[in-house]
Amino acid sequence: MGAVEPRYVALYRAGELERRAEALVARLSSCDICPRECGVNRLENGLGFCHSDRLAVVSTICSHYGEEPVISGSRGSGAVFFGNCNMRCVYCQNHQISQDYKAQQSKEVEPHTLAERMLYLQDELGCHNINFVSPSHFVPQLVQAVLEAVPLGLRLPLVYNTSSYDSIKSLKELDGIISIYLADLRYASNKCGRKFSQVVDYVERARAAIQEMYSQVGDLVVDDEGIAQRGLIVRHLVLPNRLAGSQDSLTWLVHEVSPAVTVSIMSQYFPAHRASRIPLLSRAISSAEYSEVARLVDELGLENGWVQEMGASGNYLPDFASEGDPFSPTVSKLK
Ligand code: SF4
């Protein structure tokens, strides 16, 4: 358990957590929880782009060892894999749970059930944190569950593990609740975002979201055991044929966020889901592509974080049909 009491406990005692949960749930009646602003009434079973209504869809809960070392540690990260998504990546490795809406319907949970599962991850499995994976469309339900979990004894740091296609208004409601943002920086081109993830404004939205996250939690802070307690980690998945815009994205990060920001450079791309039918995305990255990004990290002076070893492609493919942790790890520290 984290040595320092997370700030969400003070927010709970002050009644602020309850106020935020109510404000967020009210917004579901004309949903603007993520940047798509569908305007559907999710309280009355209205479905927007994410195919999700009033209740959170929780596809898998497990102790997860496949995250960065500061997140997984020795006891695992308490992963809560939400179902459905507000993006539609053609290469999504989690497509079994993110894009098969019918299969996810049976996995809806009330807030108190999610709260009890978080306590299970903390007390029974001894995880280092609670790691909400793909939470952007379930921010109200996440805060409702935390509100229920605090009086039950939840004290772990909370990780918001996101594609970064997040609304600033929703992120502001998470200030003081989330300790660690684990944020993707996927594209530097909206053309790629539109073509491969059905998002027309990814670049400006994700960049604004990452700046907001950084303003809330700042640089990564770890405890005596090297486990993250607070801060931002930016993940960058290298795509073949420079489709991730690594040069543009990482340069932006250094200049507009901070050269001290912690990065996680990922080489694990695999043409999952529909990607094998798209020529530009139908292969793993090459050694030359990997070296180019590794060199760039060096040139830009990014010293904090990790670069995933080459050859990780395929090793990270999860199977959400099986029990337990669907993944496994291989990373090297930057310095
Ligand atoms: S959370 Fe879902 S319904 Fe709400 S705006 Fe985003 S995609 Fe639309």
Side-chain angles (χ1 to χ4, degrees), residues 280-313:
L280 284 172
L281 284 170
S282 63
R283 62 166 173 83
I285 63 166
S286 66
S287 299
E289 286 166 335
Y290 171 80
S291 303
E292 185 178 300
V293 178
R295 216 167 30 244
L296 183 64
V297 166
D298 213 31
E299 284 166 12
L300 287 169
L302 284 162
E303 294 192 347
N304 297 319
W306 310 266
V307 177
Q308 199 172 36
E309 288 167 14
M310 197 48 197
S313 174

PDB file of all heavy atoms in Angstrom, residues 280-313:
ATOM      1  N   LEU A 280      -0.101  -0.507 -44.991  1.00  0.00           N
ATOM      2  CA  LEU A 280       0.843   0.304 -44.208  1.00  0.00           C
ATOM      3  C   LEU A 280       0.992  -0.176 -42.763  1.00  0.00           C
ATOM      4  O   LEU A 280       1.976   0.139 -42.088  1.00  0.00           O
ATOM      5  CB  LEU A 280       0.393   1.772 -44.197  1.00  0.00           C
ATOM      6  CG  LEU A 280       0.635   2.575 -45.472  1.00  0.00           C
ATOM      7  CD1 LEU A 280      -0.037   3.941 -45.370  1.00  0.00           C
ATOM      8  CD2 LEU A 280       2.136   2.734 -45.751  1.00  0.00           C
ATOM      9  N   LEU A 281       0.006  -0.924 -42.295  1.00  0.00           N
ATOM     10  CA  LEU A 281       0.015  -1.367 -40.891  1.00  0.00           C
ATOM     11  C   LEU A 281       0.155  -2.884 -40.740  1.00  0.00           C
ATOM     12  O   LEU A 281       0.019  -3.414 -39.642  1.00  0.00           O
ATOM     13  CB  LEU A 281      -1.296  -0.944 -40.214  1.00  0.00           C
ATOM     14  CG  LEU A 281      -1.450   0.526 -39.831  1.00  0.00           C
ATOM     15  CD1 LEU A 281      -2.876   0.820 -39.401  1.00  0.00           C
ATOM     16  CD2 LEU A 281      -0.478   0.909 -38.722  1.00  0.00           C
ATOM     17  N   SER A 282       0.461  -3.560 -41.851  1.00  0.00           N
ATOM     18  CA  SER A 282       0.348  -5.022 -41.833  1.00  0.00           C
ATOM     19  C   SER A 282       1.601  -5.750 -41.357  1.00  0.00           C
ATOM     20  O   SER A 282       1.714  -6.957 -41.522  1.00  0.00           O
ATOM     21  CB  SER A 282      -0.018  -5.514 -43.231  1.00  0.00           C
ATOM     22  OG  SER A 282       1.031  -5.165 -44.110  1.00  0.00           O
ATOM     23  N   ARG A 283       2.550  -5.016 -40.780  1.00  0.00           N
ATOM     24  CA  ARG A 283       3.779  -5.674 -40.287  1.00  0.00           C
ATOM     25  C   ARG A 283       4.225  -5.040 -38.964  1.00  0.00           C
ATOM     26  O   ARG A 283       3.803  -3.947 -38.615  1.00  0.00           O
ATOM     27  CB  ARG A 283       4.897  -5.540 -41.330  1.00  0.00           C
ATOM     28  CG  ARG A 283       5.293  -4.103 -41.613  1.00  0.00           C
ATOM     29  CD  ARG A 283       6.616  -4.002 -42.382  1.00  0.00           C
ATOM     30  NE  ARG A 283       6.907  -2.637 -42.790  1.00  0.00           N
ATOM     31  CZ  ARG A 283       7.478  -1.726 -42.019  1.00  0.00           C
ATOM     32  NH1 ARG A 283       7.810  -2.014 -40.767  1.00  0.00           N
ATOM     33  NH2 ARG A 283       7.732  -0.502 -42.476  1.00  0.00           N
ATOM     34  N   ALA A 284       5.121  -5.757 -38.273  1.00  0.00           N
ATOM     35  CA  ALA A 284       5.749  -5.185 -37.072  1.00  0.00           C
ATOM     36  C   ALA A 284       6.707  -4.079 -37.507  1.00  0.00           C
ATOM     37  O   ALA A 284       7.001  -3.945 -38.689  1.00  0.00           O
ATOM     38  CB  ALA A 284       6.514  -6.278 -36.336  1.00  0.00           C
ATOM     39  N   ILE A 285       7.207  -3.286 -36.546  1.00  0.00           N
ATOM     40  CA  ILE A 285       8.180  -2.261 -36.935  1.00  0.00           C
ATOM     41  C   ILE A 285       9.529  -2.925 -37.223  1.00  0.00           C
ATOM     42  O   ILE A 285       9.843  -4.000 -36.689  1.00  0.00           O
ATOM     43  CB  ILE A 285       8.328  -1.158 -35.860  1.00  0.00           C
ATOM     44  CG1 ILE A 285       8.876  -1.708 -34.545  1.00  0.00           C
ATOM     45  CG2 ILE A 285       7.017  -0.435 -35.646  1.00  0.00           C
ATOM     46  CD1 ILE A 285       9.341  -0.615 -33.587  1.00  0.00           C
ATOM     47  N   SER A 286      10.321  -2.259 -38.085  1.00  0.00           N
ATOM     48  CA  SER A 286      11.632  -2.811 -38.442  1.00  0.00           C
ATOM     49  C   SER A 286      12.688  -2.332 -37.442  1.00  0.00           C
ATOM     50  O   SER A 286      12.464  -1.378 -36.692  1.00  0.00           O
ATOM     51  CB  SER A 286      12.021  -2.335 -39.843  1.00  0.00           C
ATOM     52  OG  SER A 286      12.209  -0.933 -39.825  1.00  0.00           O
ATOM     53  N   SER A 287      13.867  -2.949 -37.492  1.00  0.00           N
ATOM     54  CA  SER A 287      14.976  -2.524 -36.622  1.00  0.00           C
ATOM     55  C   SER A 287      15.357  -1.090 -36.927  1.00  0.00           C
ATOM     56  O   SER A 287      15.676  -0.309 -36.025  1.00  0.00           O
ATOM     57  CB  SER A 287      16.200  -3.402 -36.843  1.00  0.00           C
ATOM     58  OG  SER A 287      15.873  -4.708 -36.522  1.00  0.00           O
ATOM     59  N   ALA A 288      15.319  -0.721 -38.212  1.00  0.00           N
ATOM     60  CA  ALA A 288      15.691   0.647 -38.611  1.00  0.00           C
ATOM     61  C   ALA A 288      14.693   1.647 -38.030  1.00  0.00           C
ATOM     62  O   ALA A 288      15.090   2.714 -37.532  1.00  0.00           O
ATOM     63  CB  ALA A 288      15.732   0.748 -40.131  1.00  0.00           C
ATOM     64  N   GLU A 289      13.417   1.317 -38.069  1.00  0.00           N
ATOM     65  CA  GLU A 289      12.397   2.223 -37.517  1.00  0.00           C
ATOM     66  C   GLU A 289      12.569   2.364 -36.000  1.00  0.00           C
ATOM     67  O   GLU A 289      12.450   3.450 -35.443  1.00  0.00           O
ATOM     68  CB  GLU A 289      10.999   1.697 -37.846  1.00  0.00           C
ATOM     69  CG  GLU A 289      10.634   1.894 -39.309  1.00  0.00           C
ATOM     70  CD  GLU A 289       9.403   1.086 -39.729  1.00  0.00           C
ATOM     71  OE1 GLU A 289       9.108   0.054 -39.105  1.00  0.00           O
ATOM     72  OE2 GLU A 289       8.747   1.490 -40.702  1.00  0.00           O
ATOM     73  N   TYR A 290      12.880   1.265 -35.378  1.00  0.00           N
ATOM     74  CA  TYR A 290      13.082   1.274 -33.929  1.00  0.00           C
ATOM     75  C   TYR A 290      14.308   2.127 -33.568  1.00  0.00           C
ATOM     76  O   TYR A 290      14.259   2.983 -32.680  1.00  0.00           O
ATOM     77  CB  TYR A 290      13.273  -0.174 -33.464  1.00  0.00           C
ATOM     78  CG  TYR A 290      13.690  -0.325 -32.036  1.00  0.00           C
ATOM     79  CD1 TYR A 290      12.762  -0.229 -31.009  1.00  0.00           C
ATOM     80  CD2 TYR A 290      15.020  -0.582 -31.711  1.00  0.00           C
ATOM     81  CE1 TYR A 290      13.145  -0.382 -29.689  1.00  0.00           C
ATOM     82  CE2 TYR A 290      15.415  -0.738 -30.398  1.00  0.00           C
ATOM     83  CZ  TYR A 290      14.476  -0.645 -29.396  1.00  0.00           C
ATOM     84  OH  TYR A 290      14.861  -0.793 -28.089  1.00  0.00           O
ATOM     85  N   SER A 291      15.411   1.911 -34.305  1.00  0.00           N
ATOM     86  CA  SER A 291      16.643   2.655 -34.022  1.00  0.00           C
ATOM     87  C   SER A 291      16.441   4.142 -34.235  1.00  0.00           C
ATOM     88  O   SER A 291      16.985   4.965 -33.503  1.00  0.00           O
ATOM     89  CB  SER A 291      17.791   2.188 -34.935  1.00  0.00           C
ATOM     90  OG  SER A 291      17.971   0.825 -34.767  1.00  0.00           O
ATOM     91  N   GLU A 292      15.680   4.487 -35.258  1.00  0.00           N
ATOM     92  CA  GLU A 292      15.431   5.909 -35.544  1.00  0.00           C
ATOM     93  C   GLU A 292      14.764   6.591 -34.347  1.00  0.00           C
ATOM     94  O   GLU A 292      15.153   7.691 -33.943  1.00  0.00           O
ATOM     95  CB  GLU A 292      14.531   6.005 -36.784  1.00  0.00           C
ATOM     96  CG  GLU A 292      14.281   7.411 -37.269  1.00  0.00           C
ATOM     97  CD  GLU A 292      13.410   7.420 -38.524  1.00  0.00           C
ATOM     98  OE1 GLU A 292      13.806   6.830 -39.540  1.00  0.00           O
ATOM     99  OE2 GLU A 292      12.319   8.010 -38.477  1.00  0.00           O
ATOM    100  N   VAL A 293      13.777   5.914 -33.760  1.00  0.00           N
ATOM    101  CA  VAL A 293      13.071   6.518 -32.617  1.00  0.00           C
ATOM    102  C   VAL A 293      13.968   6.511 -31.379  1.00  0.00           C
ATOM    103  O   VAL A 293      14.004   7.496 -30.627  1.00  0.00           O
ATOM    104  CB  VAL A 293      11.729   5.796 -32.352  1.00  0.00           C
ATOM    105  CG1 VAL A 293      11.034   6.396 -31.127  1.00  0.00           C
ATOM    106  CG2 VAL A 293      10.824   5.901 -33.570  1.00  0.00           C
ATOM    107  N   ALA A 294      14.731   5.454 -31.181  1.00  0.00           N
ATOM    108  CA  ALA A 294      15.641   5.397 -30.024  1.00  0.00           C
ATOM    109  C   ALA A 294      16.665   6.539 -30.111  1.00  0.00           C
ATOM    110  O   ALA A 294      16.987   7.190 -29.111  1.00  0.00           O
ATOM    111  CB  ALA A 294      16.341   4.044 -29.985  1.00  0.00           C
ATOM    112  N   ARG A 295      17.167   6.791 -31.341  1.00  0.00           N
ATOM    113  CA  ARG A 295      18.126   7.892 -31.559  1.00  0.00           C
ATOM    114  C   ARG A 295      17.478   9.241 -31.244  1.00  0.00           C
ATOM    115  O   ARG A 295      18.055  10.123 -30.627  1.00  0.00           O
ATOM    116  CB  ARG A 295      18.593   7.846 -33.022  1.00  0.00           C
ATOM    117  CG  ARG A 295      20.050   8.239 -33.206  1.00  0.00           C
ATOM    118  CD  ARG A 295      20.642   7.924 -34.558  1.00  0.00           C
ATOM    119  NE  ARG A 295      19.722   7.934 -35.664  1.00  0.00           N
ATOM    120  CZ  ARG A 295      19.410   6.865 -36.396  1.00  0.00           C
ATOM    121  NH1 ARG A 295      19.928   5.702 -36.113  1.00  0.00           N
ATOM    122  NH2 ARG A 295      18.568   6.960 -37.405  1.00  0.00           N
ATOM    123  N   LEU A 296      16.246   9.378 -31.684  1.00  0.00           N
ATOM    124  CA  LEU A 296      15.497  10.613 -31.473  1.00  0.00           C
ATOM    125  C   LEU A 296      15.331  10.914 -29.974  1.00  0.00           C
ATOM    126  O   LEU A 296      15.513  12.051 -29.530  1.00  0.00           O
ATOM    127  CB  LEU A 296      14.121  10.444 -32.141  1.00  0.00           C
ATOM    128  CG  LEU A 296      13.168  11.602 -32.120  1.00  0.00           C
ATOM    129  CD1 LEU A 296      13.718  12.779 -32.902  1.00  0.00           C
ATOM    130  CD2 LEU A 296      11.828  11.167 -32.722  1.00  0.00           C
ATOM    131  N   VAL A 297      15.011   9.880 -29.223  1.00  0.00           N
ATOM    132  CA  VAL A 297      14.850  10.021 -27.771  1.00  0.00           C
ATOM    133  C   VAL A 297      16.151  10.566 -27.172  1.00  0.00           C
ATOM    134  O   VAL A 297      16.150  11.469 -26.343  1.00  0.00           O
ATOM    135  CB  VAL A 297      14.472   8.654 -27.142  1.00  0.00           C
ATOM    136  CG1 VAL A 297      14.624   8.675 -25.633  1.00  0.00           C
ATOM    137  CG2 VAL A 297      13.046   8.269 -27.529  1.00  0.00           C
ATOM    138  N   ASP A 298      17.250  10.029 -27.653  1.00  0.00           N
ATOM    139  CA  ASP A 298      18.568  10.446 -27.206  1.00  0.00           C
ATOM    140  C   ASP A 298      18.843  11.901 -27.594  1.00  0.00           C
ATOM    141  O   ASP A 298      19.239  12.723 -26.760  1.00  0.00           O
ATOM    142  CB  ASP A 298      19.583   9.518 -27.877  1.00  0.00           C
ATOM    143  CG  ASP A 298      20.762   9.277 -26.987  1.00  0.00           C
ATOM    144  OD1 ASP A 298      20.572   9.292 -25.759  1.00  0.00           O
ATOM    145  OD2 ASP A 298      21.871   9.106 -27.529  1.00  0.00           O
ATOM    146  N   GLU A 299      18.608  12.222 -28.848  1.00  0.00           N
ATOM    147  CA  GLU A 299      18.875  13.582 -29.350  1.00  0.00           C
ATOM    148  C   GLU A 299      18.042  14.637 -28.630  1.00  0.00           C
ATOM    149  O   GLU A 299      18.489  15.754 -28.392  1.00  0.00           O
ATOM    150  CB  GLU A 299      18.567  13.655 -30.854  1.00  0.00           C
ATOM    151  CG  GLU A 299      19.635  13.008 -31.726  1.00  0.00           C
ATOM    152  CD  GLU A 299      19.155  12.781 -33.154  1.00  0.00           C
ATOM    153  OE1 GLU A 299      18.099  13.322 -33.536  1.00  0.00           O
ATOM    154  OE2 GLU A 299      19.848  12.045 -33.868  1.00  0.00           O
ATOM    155  N   LEU A 300      16.811  14.268 -28.311  1.00  0.00           N
ATOM    156  CA  LEU A 300      15.919  15.225 -27.646  1.00  0.00           C
ATOM    157  C   LEU A 300      16.232  15.371 -26.161  1.00  0.00           C
ATOM    158  O   LEU A 300      15.692  16.238 -25.482  1.00  0.00           O
ATOM    159  CB  LEU A 300      14.454  14.791 -27.816  1.00  0.00           C
ATOM    160  CG  LEU A 300      13.861  14.979 -29.216  1.00  0.00           C
ATOM    161  CD1 LEU A 300      12.520  14.270 -29.336  1.00  0.00           C
ATOM    162  CD2 LEU A 300      13.695  16.460 -29.537  1.00  0.00           C
ATOM    163  N   GLY A 301      17.089  14.501 -25.653  1.00  0.00           N
ATOM    164  CA  GLY A 301      17.481  14.587 -24.244  1.00  0.00           C
ATOM    165  C   GLY A 301      16.428  14.048 -23.290  1.00  0.00           C
ATOM    166  O   GLY A 301      16.402  14.416 -22.114  1.00  0.00           O
ATOM    167  N   LEU A 302      15.561  13.168 -23.786  1.00  0.00           N
ATOM    168  CA  LEU A 302      14.562  12.536 -22.905  1.00  0.00           C
ATOM    169  C   LEU A 302      15.292  11.470 -22.088  1.00  0.00           C
ATOM    170  O   LEU A 302      15.758  10.475 -22.640  1.00  0.00           O
ATOM    171  CB  LEU A 302      13.446  11.902 -23.738  1.00  0.00           C
ATOM    172  CG  LEU A 302      12.438  12.879 -24.340  1.00  0.00           C
ATOM    173  CD1 LEU A 302      11.664  12.208 -25.475  1.00  0.00           C
ATOM    174  CD2 LEU A 302      11.464  13.398 -23.282  1.00  0.00           C
ATOM    175  N   GLU A 303      15.423  11.701 -20.802  1.00  0.00           N
ATOM    176  CA  GLU A 303      16.252  10.807 -19.986  1.00  0.00           C
ATOM    177  C   GLU A 303      15.460   9.952 -19.016  1.00  0.00           C
ATOM    178  O   GLU A 303      16.001   9.048 -18.394  1.00  0.00           O
ATOM    179  CB  GLU A 303      17.266  11.638 -19.182  1.00  0.00           C
ATOM    180  CG  GLU A 303      18.275  12.323 -20.081  1.00  0.00           C
ATOM    181  CD  GLU A 303      19.443  12.888 -19.302  1.00  0.00           C
ATOM    182  OE1 GLU A 303      19.340  12.955 -18.058  1.00  0.00           O
ATOM    183  OE2 GLU A 303      20.438  13.242 -19.940  1.00  0.00           O
ATOM    184  N   ASN A 304      14.185  10.276 -18.855  1.00  0.00           N
ATOM    185  CA  ASN A 304      13.392   9.540 -17.871  1.00  0.00           C
ATOM    186  C   ASN A 304      12.420   8.588 -18.563  1.00  0.00           C
ATOM    187  O   ASN A 304      11.623   9.025 -19.391  1.00  0.00           O
ATOM    188  CB  ASN A 304      12.608  10.523 -16.996  1.00  0.00           C
ATOM    189  CG  ASN A 304      13.532  11.418 -16.192  1.00  0.00           C
ATOM    190  OD1 ASN A 304      14.544  10.951 -15.662  1.00  0.00           O
ATOM    191  ND2 ASN A 304      13.215  12.692 -16.139  1.00  0.00           N
ATOM    192  N   GLY A 305      12.504   7.332 -18.192  1.00  0.00           N
ATOM    193  CA  GLY A 305      11.537   6.384 -18.728  1.00  0.00           C
ATOM    194  C   GLY A 305      12.164   5.103 -19.242  1.00  0.00           C
ATOM    195  O   GLY A 305      13.212   4.671 -18.759  1.00  0.00           O
ATOM    196  N   TRP A 306      11.528   4.507 -20.242  1.00  0.00           N
ATOM    197  CA  TRP A 306      11.922   3.195 -20.722  1.00  0.00           C
ATOM    198  C   TRP A 306      11.748   3.110 -22.228  1.00  0.00           C
ATOM    199  O   TRP A 306      10.885   3.767 -22.806  1.00  0.00           O
ATOM    200  CB  TRP A 306      11.049   2.089 -20.108  1.00  0.00           C
ATOM    201  CG  TRP A 306      10.940   2.195 -18.634  1.00  0.00           C
ATOM    202  CD1 TRP A 306      11.714   1.552 -17.705  1.00  0.00           C
ATOM    203  CD2 TRP A 306      10.024   3.020 -17.901  1.00  0.00           C
ATOM    204  NE1 TRP A 306      11.333   1.931 -16.447  1.00  0.00           N
ATOM    205  CE2 TRP A 306      10.301   2.822 -16.527  1.00  0.00           C
ATOM    206  CE3 TRP A 306       9.006   3.898 -18.264  1.00  0.00           C
ATOM    207  CZ2 TRP A 306       9.596   3.466 -15.522  1.00  0.00           C
ATOM    208  CZ3 TRP A 306       8.301   4.550 -17.272  1.00  0.00           C
ATOM    209  CH2 TRP A 306       8.589   4.339 -15.920  1.00  0.00           C
ATOM    210  N   VAL A 307      12.585   2.257 -22.824  1.00  0.00           N
ATOM    211  CA  VAL A 307      12.394   1.889 -24.227  1.00  0.00           C
ATOM    212  C   VAL A 307      12.194   0.384 -24.239  1.00  0.00           C
ATOM    213  O   VAL A 307      13.031  -0.352 -23.717  1.00  0.00           O
ATOM    214  CB  VAL A 307      13.614   2.269 -25.096  1.00  0.00           C
ATOM    215  CG1 VAL A 307      13.409   1.801 -26.528  1.00  0.00           C
ATOM    216  CG2 VAL A 307      13.831   3.771 -25.073  1.00  0.00           C
ATOM    217  N   GLN A 308      11.097  -0.033 -24.824  1.00  0.00           N
ATOM    218  CA  GLN A 308      10.810  -1.467 -24.873  1.00  0.00           C
ATOM    219  C   GLN A 308      11.812  -2.134 -25.816  1.00  0.00           C
ATOM    220  O   GLN A 308      12.133  -1.586 -26.867  1.00  0.00           O
ATOM    221  CB  GLN A 308       9.402  -1.628 -25.432  1.00  0.00           C
ATOM    222  CG  GLN A 308       8.758  -2.937 -25.154  1.00  0.00           C
ATOM    223  CD  GLN A 308       7.303  -2.899 -25.596  1.00  0.00           C
ATOM    224  OE1 GLN A 308       6.957  -2.277 -26.600  1.00  0.00           O
ATOM    225  NE2 GLN A 308       6.466  -3.557 -24.864  1.00  0.00           N
ATOM    226  N   GLU A 309      12.290  -3.309 -25.424  1.00  0.00           N
ATOM    227  CA  GLU A 309      13.257  -3.990 -26.278  1.00  0.00           C
ATOM    228  C   GLU A 309      12.637  -4.363 -27.607  1.00  0.00           C
ATOM    229  O   GLU A 309      11.448  -4.656 -27.698  1.00  0.00           O
ATOM    230  CB  GLU A 309      13.762  -5.256 -25.575  1.00  0.00           C
ATOM    231  CG  GLU A 309      14.693  -4.925 -24.421  1.00  0.00           C
ATOM    232  CD  GLU A 309      14.962  -6.124 -23.528  1.00  0.00           C
ATOM    233  OE1 GLU A 309      14.645  -7.253 -23.952  1.00  0.00           O
ATOM    234  OE2 GLU A 309      15.459  -5.909 -22.421  1.00  0.00           O
ATOM    235  N   MET A 310      13.473  -4.381 -28.636  1.00  0.00           N
ATOM    236  CA  MET A 310      13.018  -4.797 -29.962  1.00  0.00           C
ATOM    237  C   MET A 310      12.665  -6.285 -29.893  1.00  0.00           C
ATOM    238  O   MET A 310      13.244  -7.026 -29.107  1.00  0.00           O
ATOM    239  CB  MET A 310      14.175  -4.559 -30.935  1.00  0.00           C
ATOM    240  CG  MET A 310      13.859  -4.534 -32.393  1.00  0.00           C
ATOM    241  SD  MET A 310      12.478  -3.530 -32.872  1.00  0.00           S
ATOM    242  CE  MET A 310      12.188  -4.209 -34.491  1.00  0.00           C
ATOM    243  N   GLY A 311      11.707  -6.691 -30.678  1.00  0.00           N
ATOM    244  CA  GLY A 311      11.321  -8.099 -30.663  1.00  0.00           C
ATOM    245  C   GLY A 311      10.152  -8.355 -29.753  1.00  0.00           C
ATOM    246  O   GLY A 311       9.774  -9.499 -29.506  1.00  0.00           O
ATOM    247  N   ALA A 312       9.542  -7.259 -29.228  1.00  0.00           N
ATOM    248  CA  ALA A 312       8.397  -7.428 -28.328  1.00  0.00           C
ATOM    249  C   ALA A 312       7.100  -7.678 -29.092  1.00  0.00           C
ATOM    250  O   ALA A 312       6.108  -8.090 -28.511  1.00  0.00           O
ATOM    251  CB  ALA A 312       8.242  -6.190 -27.448  1.00  0.00           C
ATOM    252  N   SER A 313       7.120  -7.413 -30.407  1.00  0.00           N
ATOM    253  CA  SER A 313       5.900  -7.570 -31.194  1.00  0.00           C
ATOM    254  C   SER A 313       5.302  -8.959 -31.023  1.00  0.00           C
ATOM    255  O   SER A 313       5.991  -9.960 -31.176  1.00  0.00           O
ATOM    256  CB  SER A 313       6.206  -7.337 -32.667  1.00  0.00           C
ATOM    257  OG  SER A 313       5.071  -7.609 -33.439  1.00  0.00           O
TER     258      SER A 313
END
